[in-house]
C-alpha cells in the first residue's frame, strides 16, 4: 500500500511504548540527518493524542503541527514523515503505542524540542501530568 502511494517505507525496527498513567506526554522527538526516519504510529490499547511538527525547512508546512486522536478501537495509524518531530499525550491509563520505523535507532542522531515551544503553539487537548526528565530538558526549536 505504501509503495502504491509512492511512499518508500521499509520497516527496520518496531517499538512499543506503554503509558501506565493518563496524561503522560512523550516527545517531541526526531532523528536528525544523516539518519532521519519515517514512523508509523498506532495506538494498540487505550487512547492517545498524537502530534507531529514539520521541521523540514523547504516544506510548505514548515513549523506547523498536526494532531490526531488515535485509539485501539479505530485501528487508525499516523505516518510521520522523516524530519518531523513526534510526540503524544496519553488520554487514558494503560495506553500502548506501537511504532514502526524506517531506520534503526541511531542515538547520535536523536533530537528533540520542547512540547510547549512557543514557536509551534501546539494546542494539546489537556495539560500533561507526567513527563520524563529528558523530555522536560529539550530546548526550544532553533531555525537552522
Amino acid at each position: 500500500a505504501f509503495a502504491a502511494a509512492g511512499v518508500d517505507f521499509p520497516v527496520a525496527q518496531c517499538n512499543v511504548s506503554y503509558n501506565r498513567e493518563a496524561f503522560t506526554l512523550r516527545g517531541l522527538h526526531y532523528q536528525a540527518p544523516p539518519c532521519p526516519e519515517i514512523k508509523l504510529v498506532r495506538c494498540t490499547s487505550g487512547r492517545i493524542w498524537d502530534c507531529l511538527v514539520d521541521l523540514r525547512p523547504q516544506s510548505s508546512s514548515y513549523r506547523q503541527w498536526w494532531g490526531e486522536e488515535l485509539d485501539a478501537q479505530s485501528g487508525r495509524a499516523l505516518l510521520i514523515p522523516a524530519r518531523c518531530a513526534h510526540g503524544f499525550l496519553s488520554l487514558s491509563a494503560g495506553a500502548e503505542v506501537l511504532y514502526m520505523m524506517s531506520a534503526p535507532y541511531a542515538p547520535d542522531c536523536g533530537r528533540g524540542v520542547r512540547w510547549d515551544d512557543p514557536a509551534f503553539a501546539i494546542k494539546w487537548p489537556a495539560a500533561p501530568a507526567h513527563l520524563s526528565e529528558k523530555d522536560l530538558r529539550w530546548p526550544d526549536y532553533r531555525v537552522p
Side-chain angles (χ1 to χ4, degrees), residues 1-77:
F2 286 116
V7 176
D8 183 21
F9 183 60
V11 177
Q13 180 177 328
C14 295
N15 292 344
V16 173
S17 172
Y18 178 76
N19 304 275
R20 183 179 15 203
E21 306 287 337
F23 306 109
T24 299
L25 192 138
R26 308 271 186 201
L28 296 162
H29 309 136
Y30 65 99
Q31 290 285 111
C35 31
E37 66 185 6
I38 301 168
K39 291 181 187 175
L40 182 67
V41 180
R42 183 171 178 263
C43 183
T44 54
S45 179
R47 293 174 36 237
I48 65 168
W49 190 78
D50 206 57
C51 182
L52 71 91
V53 177
D54 190 344
L55 299 180
R56 302 168 295 178
Q58 280 67 43
S59 172
S60 62
S61 57
Y62 177 56
R63 292 179 28 173
Q64 294 178 25
W65 61 271
W66 176 262
E68 189 78 32
E69 186 171 323
L70 300 177
D71 61 59
Q73 288 72 34
S74 73
R76 293 181 323 123

Side-chain angles (χ1 to χ4, degrees), residues 30-36 105-111:
Y30 65 99
Q31 290 285 111
C35 31
Y105 178 64
D108 292 344
C109 295
R111 304 284 189 280

